[in-house]
Amino acid sequence: MTSLHHDPLLWLTAPLLGEPDASALLDTLDAELAWQRPTLRLYGREHPIPRTQVWMGDPEAGYRYSGRAFVPEPWHPAVARLRDRLVEVLDDAGLPARFNSVLLNRYLDGQERMGWHSDDEPELGHDPLIAAVSLGAERPLRFRWRDRRAPAFNAWLPHDSLLVMGPGTQRQLQHALLPRQIPGRRISLTFRWVLPR
């Protein structure tokens, strides 16, 4: 793993699965999941999100953000295998983790996006570890310090890569996937532990 920042803990590693497994997983997820485009309420108005997504996990792993409650879809077998692989990789790296849920986002081109945010909902606990797997077109995830202590920076996420956002990341940084003139589809899977209600 390559360290991007030591404080907070931010690690990037690639390849994760190797070929042809990574591309096969991209095709499987694209074809077999029930992709959704929910609307979120912002400033009193409903807006469809600028991407499609699936919330997946254990039955008790309900999740709320932007004023909406999401009930998890059951684990797809390929995603469950990836979850188990991540647990092994992180354990080998000295970052023991467990995951009961994953948010999958699909971006059909470089114009589909995710706005500035931190994954700091109460259901994730005080200092979550989040593991983000990227498949498909390489795009930069933009980070900025909440207290503006230093300039914003990019973490380029190639196909078949793993970005680990460890304890402290969500408290200190925000991140966004901003529009880019980059062709090609991309699917990200952000694995996390949601505190059971």
Side-chain angles (χ1 to χ4, degrees), residues 11-19 21-27 29 82 86 102-107 130-141 143 155-165 177 185-191:
W11 294 88
L12 179 66
T13 187
L16 176 65
L17 302 174
E19 291 293 7
D21 293 351
S23 291
L25 180 59
L26 174 64
D27 291 339
L29 299 179
L82 177 59
L86 285 181
V102 58
L103 179 63
L104 299 98
N105 282 297
R106 181 178 64 174
Y107 306 88
I130 295 176
V133 176
S134 294
L135 301 170
E138 181 175 18
R139 287 181 66 177
L141 192 64
F143 285 89
W156 281 88
L157 305 178
H159 174 54
D160 192 23
S161 64
L162 166 64
L163 176 70
V164 178
M165 294 181 281
L177 193 77
R185 64 184 168 156
R186 173 179 183 268
I187 293 177
S188 70
L189 305 93
T190 52
F191 290 84

Side-chain angles (χ1 to χ4, degrees), residues 13-91:
T13 187
L16 176 65
L17 302 174
E19 291 293 7
D21 293 351
S23 291
L25 180 59
L26 174 64
D27 291 339
T28 295
L29 299 179
D30 194 23
E32 297 184 8
L33 298 189
W35 295 100
Q36 304 154 11
R37 191 182 297 270
T39 58
L40 299 179
R41 180 171 289 277
L42 296 171
Y43 308 111
R45 295 182 60 190
E46 295 284 334
H47 300 272
I49 64 171
R51 61 193 173 278
T52 51
Q53 68 178 34
V54 176
W55 177 249
M56 185 181 295
D58 296 348
E60 69 276 8
Y63 193 54
R64 292 188 67 87
Y65 76 90
S66 297
R68 280 201 54 160
F70 292 89
V71 176
E73 298 284 327
W75 288 100
H76 185 285
V79 180
R81 288 192 295 272
L82 177 59
R83 175 202 61 204
D84 296 343
R85 173 76 180 124
L86 285 181
V87 170
E88 292 176 2
V89 167
L90 292 172
D91 193 55

Side-chain angles (χ1 to χ4, degrees), residues 111-191:
Q111 295 307 300
E112 296 203 322
R113 64 197 186 279
M114 171 85 76
W116 285 106
H117 69 286
S118 294
D119 297 313
D120 56 0
E121 290 80 11
E123 297 96 319
L124 300 179
H126 175 64
D127 249 347
L129 183 149
I130 295 176
V133 176
S134 294
L135 301 170
E138 181 175 18
R139 287 181 66 177
L141 192 64
R142 186 80 171 160
F143 285 89
R144 67 184 182 190
W145 297 92
R146 285 182 176 229
D147 62 7
R148 306 300 192 262
R149 73 177 74 168
F153 61 94
N154 287 332
W156 281 88
L157 305 178
H159 174 54
D160 192 23
S161 64
L162 166 64
L163 176 70
V164 178
M165 294 181 281
T169 302
Q170 307 305 323
R171 279 189 291 109
Q172 298 180 62
L173 291 167
Q174 292 180 315
H175 55 279
L177 193 77
L178 302 176
R180 287 264 183 161
Q181 294 298 325
I182 296 175
R185 64 184 168 156
R186 173 179 183 268
I187 293 177
S188 70
L189 305 93
T190 52
F191 290 84

